[in-house]
Amino acid sequence: MIKIDLYDSYYNRSDGKYYIKKKEKNLKPLKESKNKRDKVDNRLYKMSIKNNHKHPIKVSIVMPTYNKYHQTSLSLYGLSKQTFPQAEYEVILVDDASSDNTPNIFKEADVPFKFKYIRMKQNKGRSSVRNIGINHAEGNLLIFLDGEMLAPPAFIENHYKHHVHESNLVVTGAMHYEGVYTFIMPDYNED
């Protein structure tokens, strides 16, 4: 069970529900939505969920983003093409109060995995939004991926394989990157 004291709520892994503390210290389950998109409102952020299912999540990918709409859209596309079973991973995109089109990603994204979109009401910084993403992660394995990173198809599977064979393991990718340019980005030019 992950307890989130800061927001007076917590996620219970055993029953897969979020709970909010009442003043009397009794716990009340949040209303379950009949839609595929569940919404949770908190003082600091709002969370929406797509493709919510009861299948156990093995891997949680936490992606902080700020004003990277085009890059984040490409990242989500890459994550939708993974070789790892789609029902066994989730992506938690934490939008740090972007002022671009990033809030539209939740409506536009047609993803096969469980997708949690958390929209901060105020900009809090990379480490704070990562921690909020961690608090909502269901998987036993956490992968941190920046919102502008493109993951190859075996990205999740490779991380997971390393963790299956070893305990207390930290896996990192190569410490280099390559620029990707596309015509859908506003800064694109022929050069």
Side-chain angles (χ1 to χ4, degrees):
M1 177 186 321
I2 299 173
K3 188 175 180 184
I4 311 167
D5 289 327
L6 181 62
Y7 308 109
D8 294 329
S9 64
Y10 69 94
Y11 176 78
N12 185 337
R13 286 184 193 219
S14 63
D15 67 6
K17 294 181 182 176
Y18 290 93
Y19 290 87
I20 297 177
K21 292 181 186 178
K22 291 171 88 179
K23 288 183 182 178
E24 305 86 23
K25 295 187 180 179
N26 293 333
L27 298 177
K28 175 179 110 179
L30 295 176
K31 262 188 185 177
E32 287 194 34
S33 172
K34 293 180 182 175
N35 299 333
K36 289 185 178 180
R37 300 176 186 179
D38 295 330
K39 297 186 183 224
V40 176
D41 285 312
N42 287 305
R43 290 177 286 145
L44 298 177
Y45 60 87
K46 182 177 182 178
M47 182 169 74
S48 301
I49 304 174
K50 255 186 192 180
N51 303 329
N52 201 2
H53 53 73
K54 301 296 182 197
H55 197 280
I57 298 294
K58 292 181 179 177
V59 179
S60 295
I61 299 170
V62 178
M63 290 177 56
T65 189
Y66 177 72
N67 286 341
K68 300 273 187 188
Y69 168 75
H70 293 95
Q71 295 92 332
T72 303
S73 296
L74 290 171
S75 295
L76 289 173
Y77 177 79
L79 290 170
S80 71
K81 302 298 181 190
Q82 294 295 302
T83 56
F84 196 77
Q86 296 165 339
E88 296 180 0
Y89 69 95
E90 67 179 353
V91 175
I92 305 163
L93 180 65
V94 189
D95 177 1
D96 198 9
S98 294
S99 58
D100 65 357
N101 289 333
T102 301
N104 294 333
I105 284 179
F106 183 76
K107 292 179 232 153
E108 296 170 357
D110 183 22
V111 293
F113 48 79
K114 187 172 192 173
F115 180 44
K116 296 176 183 174
Y117 174 75
I118 300 173
R119 167 96 173 140
M120 299 301 298
K121 293 180 180 174
Q122 291 181 340
N123 186 274
K124 294 292 183 184
R126 193 185 264 329
S127 58
S128 291
V129 298
R130 266 198 187 121
N131 287 336
I132 288 169
I134 292 168
N135 286 338
H136 289 285
E138 296 176 42
N140 291 325
L141 172 61
L142 286 176
I143 297 176
F144 299 104
L145 186 68
D146 288 340
E148 63 274 5
M149 304 304 287
L150 299 176
F155 175 76
I156 298 171
E157 186 177 353
N158 287 337
H159 271 272
Y160 189 76
K161 283 180 182 177
H162 281 72
H163 288 277
V164 167
H165 299 295
E166 298 286 334
S167 60
N168 298 322
L169 186 67
V170 175
V171 177
T172 183
M175 299 307 286
H176 75 281
Y177 66 92
E178 296 176 22
V180 175
Y181 300 96
T182 173
F183 69 93
I184 67 169
M185 299 168 81
D187 297 335
Y188 177 81
N189 62 46
E190 292 299 321
D191 293 333

